Amino acid sequence: ASEIPGNNIDEDCDGRDNNPDQITFSFGSSSSQSGSIQKIPVTVTNFESVLGFQFGLELSNSELGSIVGVENLGVLDGLFWNQECLCSFLWDSPNSNPVTLDDETIIFNLLVEVNGSADDCNNLVSTSTPFPTVFFSNFEETIPQFKNGRICISNAVNITGRIFTEDNHPITN
C-alpha cells in the first residue's frame, strides 16, 4: 500500500509514514571493504521540544557485520548507550527542559564492523527490542519515524603500473 501523507499511519509497513513534520531519525549509509569499521551518522529532523526517548538499533543480518561502538554522544547531554542489550539508546532531557535541535544534526556516530563479500549489503534498522520505542515531545508521547541506513561491501581497487598526466609526465608515488 502507498503512504497517505500526514495521517500518522504506516500504510506500507516500512516504519514511517513520511509525514514531513514528524520527528525523524535517519541512519546513514556506507560502502567499504570487508573487515573495516565504518562510522555511520545518526541524524535528526524535526527534533523540537523533545523531553526524552528510547529506541534500539540493529543490523538486519548479523553475519554481515556488528555494531562495535558509538562516538560523539555529547550533542544530547546524558545520552546513554547500552551495548549489552543489543544496541539501545536512552535519553531524558536534563531538568525536564524540552530540547530542540537543528535539522540534520548528528546526535551520534555508530561504529559498524563490516563483514562479507563484495556487493553484500546490510540494513541498519530501528527495533523495539529489548525496550519499546518511546518518544516524548511537547509533553506528550509521540511516534517518530526512522529512515533505515544501508551498509554495503565494495570491491577493493589496486592501481599498479605507471601513471601519466595529460601532457605525458609521469606521476611519482
Side-chain angles (χ1 to χ4, degrees):
S2 61
E3 292 293 337
I4 300 170
N7 69 352
N8 291 324
I9 298 172
D10 181 16
E11 287 89 1
D12 63 5
C13 300
D14 68 351
R16 59 184 192 245
D17 77 346
N18 297 318
N19 179 345
D21 298 324
Q22 192 172 12
I23 295 172
T24 303
F25 284 72
S26 298
F27 310 139
S29 294
S30 173
S31 180
S32 68
Q33 295 178 1
S34 184
S36 66
I37 294 178
Q38 291 298 296
K39 186 184 298 186
I40 309 296
V42 176
T43 61
V44 292
T45 306
N46 298 318
F47 196 94
E48 297 174 7
S49 300
V50 176
L51 291 167
F53 60 78
Q54 68 180 25
F55 68 92
L57 287 174
E58 66 184 6
L59 294 170
S60 58
N61 184 343
S62 61
E63 292 180 12
L64 296 178
S66 59
I67 298 169
V68 296
V70 176
E71 289 183 343
N72 302 332
L73 291 169
V75 173
L76 292 173
D77 188 34
L79 179 60
F80 175 72
W81 171 58
N82 184 354
Q83 185 180 14
E84 299 302 318
C85 299
L86 298 175
C87 191
S88 57
F89 294 86
L90 171 67
W91 176 76
D92 288 313
S93 175
N95 304 317
S96 296
N97 293 324
V99 171
T100 297
L101 297 174
D102 292 334
D103 285 353
E104 305 305 319
T105 294
I106 297 173
I107 60 168
F108 59 86
N109 290 305
L110 200 61
L111 301 177
V112 177
E113 184 174 8
V114 180
N115 300 309
S117 301
D119 299 327
D120 283 343
C121 290
N122 207 347
N123 293 318
L124 182 60
V125 298
S126 66
T127 179
S128 292
T129 304
F131 306 111
T133 299
V134 178
F135 283 77
F136 287 93
S137 178
N138 293 314
F139 296 96
E140 60 185 40
E141 190 168 350
T142 186
I143 301 171
Q145 65 182 348
F146 294 93
K147 293 187 177 177
N148 298 341
R150 190 160 175 83
I151 303 165
C152 295
I153 311 275
S154 60
N155 286 321
V157 176
N158 292 322
I159 299 174
T160 62
R162 297 177 13 155
I163 302 173
F164 295 87
T165 64
E166 292 174 3
D167 55 356
N168 209 24
H169 288 87
I171 296 175
T172 59
N173 2 356

